[in-house]
Amino acid sequence: MAATGWLGLTSLGIVHTAISLIAVIAGLVALFRYREITLRTGWGRVFVWTTVLTCLTGFGIFQHGGFGKPHALGILTLVALAVGAAAGRGAFFGQASRYVEAAAFSASFLFHWIPAFTETLTRLPLGAPLLPNADAPELKAITAVLGVLYLVGVTLQIKRLRGGKPVSPAPVRAGS
């Protein structure tokens, strides 16, 4: 697909970005409202399904010629979503299911932020991006900070869950 001129994105890139923004907003709402992302809430379901769509549309974007780090991150994100969904149903993880669910869905939320910072900082401002490319050392530092935020967030979620204060309104149904 040819670039449209708007931030150098293709039509697929624009759709991909729009879907990912919906996912990020749904994830933020779920985290602030329920203190977790789970399929037990409508916002959690919107997050999960739009994240799946973000990954699938991302697989069609080959800005640098072929399969690359963004595609690998998409696969890792889908794995995290699958683990989170299985854990949310109580499958495979026993008593640790709620903790695994929180860690997995939070990881998929984290995985949105890595390309968000990368794409934003290597494209904007137009004509003079803040960073030259995706390998800039500043992006490695940002990713490290995101990793620390992930660990803090998951730790807080697990402490809350251990305290017996799940905020989720309903158990996950088999068809969700």
Side-chain angles (χ1 to χ4, degrees):
M1 274 185 198
T4 63
W6 185 75
L7 297 178
L9 296 173
T10 63
S11 298
L12 179 59
I14 292 169
V15 169
H16 169 79
T17 301
I19 294 168
S20 70
L21 290 173
I22 294 168
V24 167
I25 291 167
L28 286 169
V29 172
L31 285 171
F32 283 110
R33 182 176 286 179
Y34 303 109
R35 297 189 201 141
E36 66 181 310
I37 298 171
T38 177
L39 289 171
R40 291 173 186 80
T41 68
W43 286 108
R45 287 188 295 276
V46 169
F47 170 79
V48 168
W49 287 111
T50 52
T51 299
V52 168
L53 289 172
T54 298
C55 291
L56 295 177
T57 56
F59 292 142
I61 299 171
F62 296 99
Q63 183 174 359
H64 302 289
F67 185 88
K69 292 177 188 176
H71 300 100
L73 185 60
I75 291 169
L76 186 59
T77 301
L78 291 173
V79 169
L81 291 172
V83 168
R89 288 186 168 77
F92 307 116
F93 303 104
Q95 291 182 325
S97 289
R98 289 300 306 272
Y99 309 129
V100 172
E101 177 188 30
F105 284 145
S106 292
S108 63
F109 185 69
L110 162 71
F111 297 154
H112 274 283
W113 291 100
I114 295 169
F117 276 102
T118 301
E119 293 300 315
T120 301
L121 296 175
T122 59
R123 291 179 187 267
L124 297 175
L126 292 176
L130 294 173
L131 299 177
N133 57 51
D135 295 321
E138 295 89 344
L139 286 171
K140 290 177 181 26
I142 289 169
T143 301
V145 170
L146 290 172
V148 169
L149 291 173
Y150 165 78
L151 292 174
V152 169
V154 168
T155 300
L156 291 172
Q157 288 177 69
I158 289 172
K159 285 178 76 170
R160 184 183 57 78
L161 290 169
R162 279 190 178 156
K165 299 177 186 172
V167 210
S168 304
V172 175
R173 296 181 312 269
S176 296

